[in-house]
């Protein structure tokens, strides 16, 4: 599982980090999301998928 962030699209809604704080955080300087684990373990798949769905601007891409 690999997660990517489209930094051009992220509008800092923060849905992703509320849903999966193990994987996403918000950069206080840039104000956009950062990915803490680009290859999260399989046991986080459900929350990562939920976080990807929760992004209102489809800035998160899940591969694999
Ligand atoms: S939910 Fe989407 S727009 Fe909001 S911080 Fe996460 S990636 Fe950015």
């Amino acid at each position: 599982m690999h997660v990517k962030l489209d930094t051009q699209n992220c509008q800092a809604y923060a849905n992703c980090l509320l849903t999966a704080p193990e994987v996403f955080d918000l950069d206080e300087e840039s104000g956009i999301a950062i990915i803490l684990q680009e290859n999260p373990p399989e046991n986080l798949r459900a929350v990562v998928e939920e976080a990807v769905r929760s992004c209102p601007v489809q800035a998160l891409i899940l591969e694999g």
Side-chain angles (χ1 to χ4, degrees):
M1 179 170 43
H2 184 71
V3 195
K4 290 201 298 197
L5 169 69
D6 180 346
T7 53
Q8 304 288 328
N9 260 347
C10 176
Q11 302 290 324
Y13 286 100
N15 303 26
C16 58
L17 45 137
L18 293 175
T19 307
E22 308 92 336
V23 179
F24 305 102
D25 201 355
L26 206 61
D27 187 290
E28 288 179 14
E29 276 184 26
S30 67
I32 62 171
I34 50 175
I35 297 181
L36 302 173
Q37 302 189 67
E38 289 192 349
N39 299 291
E42 279 299 316
N43 66 332
L44 292 178
R45 180 174 286 276
V47 286
V48 171
E49 287 180 349
E50 179 61 30
V52 169
R53 273 196 300 271
S54 77
C55 178
V57 292
Q58 284 86 47
L60 296 171
I61 302 128
L62 180 61
E63 296 174 337

